[in-house]
Amino acid sequence: MAESCDGSYDPGSQSDDSHHFERLRVEPIYDAFVCPLTKQVMRDPVALENGQTFEREAIEKWFRECKESGRNLVCPLTEKELKSTDLNPSIALRNTIEEWTARNEAVQIDMACRSLNLGSPESDVMHSLKYIQYMCHKSRSNKHVVRNADLIPMIIEMLKSTSRRVRCKALETLQTVVEDDADNKVVPGLLVIAAILAEGDTVRTIVKFLSHEPSIEREEAVSLLLELSKSEALCEKIGSINGAILILVGMTSSKSENLSTVEKADKTLENLEKCENNVRQMAENGRLQPLLNQILEGPPETKLSMASYLGELVLNNDVELHVARTVGTSLIDIMRSGTVQSREAALKALNQISSYEASAKVLIEAGILPPLVKDLFTVGTNQLPMRLKEVSATILANVVNSGNDFDLIPVGPDHQTLVSEDIVHNLLYLISNTGPAIECKLLQVLVGLTSSPSTVLNVVAAIKSSGAIISLVQFIEAPQRDLRVASIKLLHNVSPHMGEELADALRGTAGQLGSLFKVVAENVGITEEQAAAVGLLAELPERDLGLTRQMLDESAFPLIISRVVKIRQGEIRGARFMTPFLEGLVRVLARVTFVLAEEPDAIKLSREHNLAALFIELLQSNGLDNVQMVSAMALENLSQESKNLTRLPELPPPPFCASIFPCLGKQPVITGLCRLHRGTCSLNDSFCLLEGQAVEKLVALLDHTNEKVVEAALAAISTLLDDGVDIEQGDCSVVCGRGNIAYDVSGDQNVSTALVDAFQHADYRTRQVAERALKHVDKIPNFSGIFPIMG
């Protein structure tokens, strides 16, 4: 028995490399057994009319070749012409060959059994395995012989060999024993082998070979698993091996594997899909399509099971989008009309895939909004359990925050939209009458709706008409962080449109205003909640004296000052929300300067913390237009109070004789006085911009590209030229001094140009300020009254 070049065995050939089994065969090969054409032992011998015997397939091929070439039909052995192509079966010879083959194969199978153990030489084991392969390839019936001889457990034992060649050949041999023709995928023999392999750790051992780096062992293991996966019983066994599906899924996307191995891994996974547990594992490991196919085409129980499992998976954005496009409509249909159990599974799956903006938009197009709104608002016998309403609210919050035009998408039977007054009223009612979890999600819905300029006014109108602002403000003190954050973000969004209502709700109430400042005070970097809280505070009416007094009483402003200083010094970081947080802080701080005339504590605070110097420093916040603008406005307010805070010198009364001798009544010259206010001034005590050297920094802003920054800077500069400054009449030196300051301030060409431009093009207030300033620098006559002062 010798091994041919393709690895098969030819019992009729003689070779120097023939196995020792060849020498131990019981009978030699007789010449009558060998076909003259193939030189192989015949399986189906047939005789010609001249009595010569050949293998049927070989002689039929010879006849075809003669016919195709146009040659005369001759016997290939005698070369004499034949009259007929009739073939007569040599039954006796065939029986004799079969008996001879059976006797020899029995001996060689027995030899193989003796050699298949871990103690045998590698060469003996290799030849035994090759012979078993030859036997199985030779005929399907031989596979029964192999199985009946209990060779399969022996082959399996060879997987533990220390020889890599033996392990590879054992895997290859098992595959040969297992595989069947395409039209016989499941045969009794395979079931028997499956039962053998299902016992013990055999499948686990085969799977371990998959973990080897790309190698022959890995390729052979995949080929074997492909055959084994045709058995449903083994599908479950393969899937139960830890890591088997994960490795197979990885192989299907590997760029280092050869194409054949990748295809076999893919086909193996397709076979493993027969078990639901395997489908779940595939989805968990990134192969999601089988699970989606089950949701689309599986029986109701399977759809329910797979949808439920989908709701438990953690998906990345691209996968969420693919799932939404593939099964979004099916899940929405289940949500509309399924049982409570199936609706729960669908809702959880939709919740999972709605968190990504792009997939949320797909679900909106598929019609998710109407059933969601219906589920939330339905009461009575058909209402969803509260735990599922919470899921519905979560999905609604997800899709609303995707940024669609929700004022155009109908959600109700009368073509209402999410921002229709009755829909918003229903949402507000649920927010006030459900548990924290649902309340939080519905607040997030309103946050999404108020984040868009096209829908915020509709929501604001509904909040006003329902009187819900009081209840919304109360959530600022909620112990649940998510609930508190959602309420603050909502109130921040609506604050530009209902600042008065918010101020009324916050003014004098117990705790809410203080709670906002507690959020700002949290030492956690800069969070979205903090940015929203300070943004809300910044939108409250700046001239609301009662609110400012309350903030003063609660020591809110020192906290704000501390935060601004730490940001300027780099002690507080948080790049994402840094800009809105700082802008809000500066706006809140600036409100102190709007009540200086009415509130002594505001002046005291401004002096204690040297606010004028801080705002001058903030003028240099390049790139932060709003900070620069608000700082200039605050300086304008502070500067307007300078004339009231300057300490004028006390002059002694003129001597009695001054009435007789006027020359003796000349007032003494007092040095060190402010040239503008003619008194004792300082930036900290009287907020004098001239003494604080703020003019240069304000003038620098007149080149700013943002008109609002320019106008604010100009207004602050103009307070130095205001008619209310230095009003003592009849003192020539004072008047002259003031004139000099005016020209000093306006001597810069940028100032003159900005004044003229503002006088011609700015808003009413700035044009009025510019007019007064231009009078002082003699650009327009003093009798001009183009923009009279308005109350």
Side-chain angles (χ1 to χ4, degrees):
M1 181 180 68
E3 181 184 359
S4 66
C5 61
D6 63 355
S8 62
Y9 273 85
D10 177 8
S13 65
Q14 298 292 327
S15 169
D16 293 337
D17 192 35
S18 63
H19 191 268
H20 68 277
F21 292 150
E22 176 72 12
R23 297 192 299 271
L24 296 176
R25 66 181 177 226
V26 293
E27 298 180 31
I29 300 175
Y30 299 97
D31 291 340
F33 293 176
V34 179
C35 172
L37 290 175
T38 65
K39 308 303 181 186
Q40 303 287 327
V41 174
M42 292 181 286
R43 297 179 183 178
D44 186 10
V46 291
L48 303 180
E49 62 185 39
N50 61 5
Q52 297 296 330
T53 303
F54 300 90
E55 179 70 53
R56 181 185 291 275
E57 289 184 6
I59 192 60
E60 287 177 345
K61 180 181 178 183
W62 169 264
F63 288 163
R64 286 195 302 273
E65 290 174 352
C66 288
K67 183 177 180 181
E68 290 170 359
S69 64
R71 292 178 295 169
N72 292 332
L73 190 64
V74 298
C75 172
L77 194 61
T78 64
E79 296 186 353
K80 292 183 178 180
E81 188 171 348
L82 298 173
K83 296 180 180 178
S84 169
T85 59
D86 291 343
L87 301 175
N88 299 312
S90 298
I91 297 175
L93 178 59
R94 183 179 66 191
N95 290 339
T96 302
I97 291 173
E98 287 176 352
E99 291 173 2
W100 174 88
T101 300
R103 289 193 299 271
N104 279 281
E105 286 179 351
V107 172
Q108 293 183 15
I109 287 289
D110 183 61
M111 293 295 100
C113 289
R114 297 180 185 181
S115 295
L116 287 179
N117 63 77
L118 296 176
S120 298
E122 178 183 304
S123 59
D124 289 356
V125 176
M126 289 292 292
H127 281 291
S128 295
L129 292 172
K130 290 176 182 179
Y131 179 74
I132 294 170
Q133 288 186 44
Y134 160 76
M135 289 283 292
C136 292
H137 283 304
K138 184 177 178 183
S139 70
R140 182 180 297 174
S141 61
N142 284 345
K143 294 185 180 184
H144 296 285
V145 174
V146 171
R147 289 193 287 268
N148 293 336
D150 290 330
L151 282 172
I152 293 176
M154 298 179 185
I155 300 171
I156 291 172
E157 187 69 13
M158 295 304 101
L159 296 176
K160 301 176 183 178
S161 171
T162 56
S163 168
R164 189 174 192 178
R165 293 179 66 235
V166 169
R167 295 196 303 269
C168 287
K169 187 57 67 176
L171 289 168
E172 183 183 307
T173 305
L174 283 174
Q175 179 190 346
T176 303
V177 173
V178 171
E179 65 187 357
D180 286 281
D181 296 336
D183 57 344
N184 288 288
K185 293 294 184 186
V186 180
V187 295
L190 179 56
L191 296 178
V192 172
I193 296 172
I196 296 172
L197 294 177
E199 297 177 356
D201 290 337
T202 303
V203 176
R204 185 184 303 276
T205 301
I206 297 169
V207 169
K208 282 184 180 179
F209 289 117
L210 295 180
S211 61
H212 294 193
E213 290 302 316
S215 62
I216 299 298
E217 284 175 290
R218 185 176 171 105
E219 294 174 13
E220 295 294 349
V222 172
S223 299
L224 176 55
L225 285 175
L226 173 58
E227 294 301 325
L228 297 180
S229 65
K230 294 173 184 177
S231 163
E232 189 166 345
L234 282 178
C235 280
E236 188 172 353
K237 180 69 176 180
I238 295 170
S240 69
I241 304 301
N242 186 34
I245 289 178
L246 172 61
I247 296 173
L248 287 168
V249 170
M251 292 175 70
T252 60
S253 58
S254 173
K255 296 182 179 178
S256 60
E257 301 283 355
N258 63 57
L259 184 60
S260 174
T261 302
V262 171
E263 290 177 349
K264 288 176 180 178
D266 190 68
K267 289 179 181 177
T268 302
L269 288 168
E270 289 179 7
N271 291 339
L272 296 180
E273 291 173 18
K274 291 189 285 282
C275 298
E276 286 189 18
N277 284 337
N278 293 345
V279 172
R280 293 188 184 92
Q281 282 195 66
M282 291 177 201
E284 184 179 340
N285 291 300
R287 187 181 175 94
L288 204 61
Q289 195 57 46
L291 183 143
L292 301 183
N293 291 339
Q294 295 283 15
I295 292 176
L296 291 172
E297 304 168 1
E301 299 81 5
T302 303
K303 283 186 176 183
L304 172 61
S305 172
M306 294 301 153
S308 179
Y309 190 71
L310 178 61
E312 299 173 8
L313 293 175
V314 177
L315 309 175
N316 63 40
N317 289 345
D318 290 340
V319 175
E320 281 190 35
L321 181 57
H322 173 68
V323 173
R325 288 172 173 168
T326 306
V327 298
T329 301
S330 297
L331 292 172
I332 292 170
D333 289 341
I334 296 172
M335 183 185 73
R336 279 196 181 102
S337 56
T339 63
V340 172
Q341 187 179 11
S342 59
R343 289 170 73 187
E344 179 174 5
L347 282 169
K348 289 182 177 179
L350 288 167
N351 180 34
Q352 191 67 272
I353 63 177
S354 63
S355 59
Y356 178 42
E357 181 178 313
S359 57
K361 289 182 177 179
V362 170
L363 296 177
I364 291 171
E365 292 173 2
I368 195 173
L369 287 178
L372 273 181
V373 172
K374 182 180 179 183
D375 282 349
L376 282 171
F377 295 162
T378 298
V379 295
T381 55
N382 294 323
Q383 72 174 339
L384 283 178
M386 198 57 68
R387 59 186 171 80
L388 296 188
K389 285 198 174 188
E390 179 184 338
V391 180
S392 296
T394 304
I395 299 170
L396 186 59
N398 288 342
V399 298
V400 164
N401 282 279
S402 65
N404 274 49
D405 296 326
F406 293 102
D407 54 334
L408 303 177
I409 304 173
V411 298
D414 299 321
H415 303 287
Q416 302 104 316
T417 68
L418 280 178
V419 292
S420 295
E421 187 174 43
D422 56 340
I423 297 292
V424 177
H425 282 176
N426 283 334
L427 291 173
L428 292 169
Y429 175 81
L430 287 175
I431 288 171
S432 298
N433 293 278
T434 51
I438 296 181
E439 290 168 349
C440 176
K441 297 304 178 182
L442 295 180
L443 282 171
Q444 290 174 6
V445 171
L446 294 182
V447 169
L449 295 175
T450 54
S451 297
S452 169
S454 65
T455 54
V456 61
L457 293 179
N458 299 73
V459 178
V460 166
I463 292 174
K464 288 182 178 180
S465 64
S466 66
I469 193 65
I470 299 296
S471 60
L472 292 176
V473 165
Q474 292 175 356
F475 286 113
I476 293 174
E477 295 185 282
Q480 297 84 2
R481 181 179 179 82
D482 289 346
L483 184 56
R484 186 176 71 245
V485 171
S487 68
I488 292 174
K489 289 170 66 176
L490 171 60
L491 295 173
H492 176 216
N493 287 351
V494 302
S495 59
H497 311 284
M498 48 192 316
E500 294 288 349
E501 291 84 352
L502 276 169
D504 291 340
L506 290 169
R507 192 189 306 109
T509 57
Q512 283 89 1
L513 191 62
S515 294
L516 288 172
F517 283 106
K518 286 180 182 177
V519 171
V520 177
E522 290 180 358
N523 191 19
V524 288
I526 301 176
T527 65
E528 183 181 19
E529 181 185 12
Q530 288 179 310
V534 82
L536 165 58
L537 290 166
E539 291 292 347
L540 298 175
E542 57 198 12
R543 298 183 184 275
D544 189 317
L545 180 58
L547 205 56
T548 302
R549 281 177 175 163
Q550 191 171 338
M551 293 181 185
L552 286 166
D553 293 340
E554 296 188 13
S555 300
F557 293 109
L559 164 67
I560 299 297
I561 295 167
S562 170
R563 283 286 183 262
V564 172
V565 171
K566 286 184 177 181
I567 289 175
R568 296 288 295 173
Q569 294 175 346
E571 296 181 25
I572 299 179
R573 302 183 182 276
R576 183 179 177 189
F577 302 108
M578 173 75 79
T579 297
F581 188 61
L582 179 58
E583 289 176 351
L585 290 173
V586 174
R587 289 181 64 188
V588 174
L589 185 58
R591 72 181 295 123
V592 173
T593 68
F594 286 90
V595 298
L596 295 171
E598 300 93 344
E599 182 53 66
D601 284 346
I603 294 177
K604 179 181 177 182
L605 176 85
S606 300
R607 286 172 170 168
E608 287 178 353
H609 295 277
N610 201 2
L611 287 192
L614 179 57
F615 283 120
I616 291 171
E617 181 185 348
L618 290 168
L619 290 177
Q620 302 173 79
S621 302
N622 296 328
L624 299 175
D625 293 8
N626 289 336
V627 171
Q628 291 175 307
M629 178 185 68
V630 173
S631 297
M633 292 171 61
L635 289 171
E636 176 193 0
N637 294 338
L638 289 166
S639 180
Q640 285 176 341
E641 282 300 303
S642 294
K643 59 182 178 290
N644 301 321
L645 300 175
T646 299
R647 289 187 290 115
L648 299 176
E650 295 184 4
L651 300 177
F656 175 76
C657 58
S659 59
I660 302 173
F661 304 102
C663 62
L664 298 177
K666 186 177 180 180
Q667 295 288 345
V669 176
I670 302 175
T671 60
L673 299 180
C674 174
R675 291 186 299 154
L676 182 62
H677 300 104
R678 310 308 298 172
T680 303
C681 277
S682 71
L683 180 64
N684 190 38
D685 290 334
S686 61
F687 318 133
C688 178
L689 300 187
L690 190 64
E691 292 295 324
Q693 300 179 343
V695 176
E696 182 181 353
K697 296 180 178 63
L698 287 166
V699 169
L701 292 181
L702 298 180
D703 285 330
H704 205 288
T705 56
N706 188 325
E707 292 182 1
K708 291 185 177 180
V709 175
V710 174
E711 291 170 4
L714 183 58
I717 293 171
S718 297
T719 60
L720 304 178
L721 310 173
D722 193 20
D723 289 330
V725 176
D726 196 15
I727 59 176
E728 292 188 25
Q729 301 298 320
D731 189 331
C732 179
S733 64
V734 173
V735 174
C736 291
R738 182 169 175 275
N740 291 336
I741 295 300
Y743 279 99
D744 287 345
V745 172
S746 62
D748 190 309
Q749 186 60 39
N750 289 332
V751 179
S752 296
T753 302
L755 285 171
V756 173
D757 185 66
F759 177 70
Q760 294 174 342
H761 305 296
D763 60 22
Y764 185 90
R765 176 181 176 278
T766 307
R767 292 167 76 183
Q768 188 183 80
V769 171
E771 179 191 28
R772 296 201 304 272
L774 288 168
K775 286 181 184 180
H776 288 299
V777 295
D778 291 338
K779 296 291 185 180
I780 58 175
N782 278 333
F783 57 77
S784 172
I786 299 173
F787 300 106
I789 296 175
M790 299 181 66

